[in-house]
Amino acid sequence: MSGVVCVVVSALAALALGGAPAAASPAGGPASAVAAAAGGWEPAPSAPWGVPAGARCDFPVHGEAVVDEVERLVLARYPDGSPKQVAYRGDLVVRVVNTDTGVAYDADAGGTAVVEHRADGSQLWTVFGPVLVGVGEGGGNLARGLYIVDGVYTLEISRTGYKTVTMAYGGQDDLCARIG
């Protein structure tokens, strides 16, 4: 295994098991204030969003977090200080609503991920658990739609936005069908 893969797999395993970085201390302890100042775990809230009919589903869709305890930890930075690798963890439930009919579904999107932000603008997500993925027409190896992708997988987002989901284990839940 390459060094990067080993680091990513180790980070995911630690996060999935509720681990914390070696420098962390119990919440509220003196070392936690130092860790936060040095770039420790920080809230990563999800903004509400909406897409028009035809963009993801055949009808307009609105999404908004009803539970949002997601945190992020910057693991590596580029020389200019911008994030290169970021880990995400925490509960996230997104209420996805068909705004034509009002039919809604609360989707568990609280997976754990390490995201590599590449210099060319592309991203590689290494994921354990459920994440909400939206795909436009011709925009990925999944059909146009909104999905909860769950399991162990990677999500590659090209610099043009094309999304490639490569599953090691798991599957997808079609949210357009759930609320359509």
Side-chain angles (χ1 to χ4, degrees):
M1 235 189 266
S2 76
V4 172
V5 172
C6 286
V7 169
V8 169
V9 170
S10 296
L12 282 173
L15 293 171
L17 297 173
S25 70
S32 68
V34 172
W41 288 100
E42 60 187 20
S46 297
W49 52 269
V51 292
R56 300 293 182 267
C57 305
D58 292 335
F59 42 84
V61 179
H62 174 79
E64 191 164 337
V66 292
V67 174
D68 192 347
E69 297 173 3
V70 177
E71 298 176 302
R72 77 180 201 145
L73 175 66
V74 177
L75 301 171
R77 293 186 182 276
Y78 284 102
D80 70 0
S82 62
K84 181 176 182 178
Q85 284 185 323
V86 182
Y88 292 89
R89 69 178 183 187
D91 293 338
L92 177 63
V93 177
V94 178
R95 180 161 294 144
V96 181
V97 181
N98 175 333
T99 58
D100 278 348
T101 65
V103 173
Y105 178 73
D106 288 348
D108 176 1
T112 299
V114 174
V115 179
E116 177 186 347
H117 297 273
R118 296 174 175 157
D120 68 357
S122 65
Q123 298 178 11
L124 175 63
W125 295 45
T126 304
V127 185
F128 176 77
V131 171
L132 179 65
V133 178
V135 180
E137 189 67 45
N141 67 336
L142 297 175
R144 174 182 63 104
L146 284 172
Y147 302 91
I148 289 295
V149 181
D150 194 2
V152 178
Y153 56 97
T154 60
L155 168 64
E156 184 139 8
I157 305 173
S158 75
R159 61 183 176 77
T160 62
Y162 189 89
K163 297 173 182 166
T164 304
V165 175
T166 304
M167 301 297 300
Y169 174 80
Q172 301 90 33
D173 184 4
D174 182 351
L175 298 181
C176 294
R178 282 193 176 271
I179 63 173

